[in-house]
Amino acid sequence: MNAFFATNEGTLDRVLRVLVGLALLSLVFFGPKTLWGLVGLVPLATGLAGTCPLYSLLGIRTCP
């Protein structure tokens, strides 16, 4: 279980995830004001945590 939550995202990957997550989340408050913007919580959370469960399942690592 510990390997499942090990850091597997590089710095660029994390920054892009946080930016995309914030952009999608902003759709809840600005623009079309739709709840679909809550999808942005997923990349935001994985970017802040530094780990992606899907990356773990597929054996992908973007960190050095």
Side-chain angles (χ1 to χ4, degrees), residues 23-51:
L24 289 172
L25 198 55
S26 72
L27 294 176
V28 174
F29 305 104
F30 306 104
K33 296 182 181 174
T34 175
L35 290 179
W36 279 102
L38 294 178
V39 171
L41 290 174
V42 174
L44 181 62
T46 59
L48 292 175
T51 184

Side-chain angles (χ1 to χ4, degrees), residues 1-2 8 11 16-17 22 24 27 30 32 36 39 42 44-45 50 56-57 61 63-64:
M1 182 131 184
N2 193 15
N8 59 6
T11 305
L16 290 175
R17 285 173 182 261
L22 289 173
L24 289 172
L27 294 176
F30 306 104
W36 279 102
V39 171
V42 174
L44 181 62
S56 296
L57 290 173
R61 285 179 59 100
C63 61

Side-chain angles (χ1 to χ4, degrees), residues 2-10 14 49-52 60-63:
N2 193 15
F4 189 72
F5 292 107
T7 301
N8 59 6
E9 296 174 358
R14 292 180 73 178
T51 184
C52 176
I60 299 172
R61 285 179 59 100
T62 59
C63 61

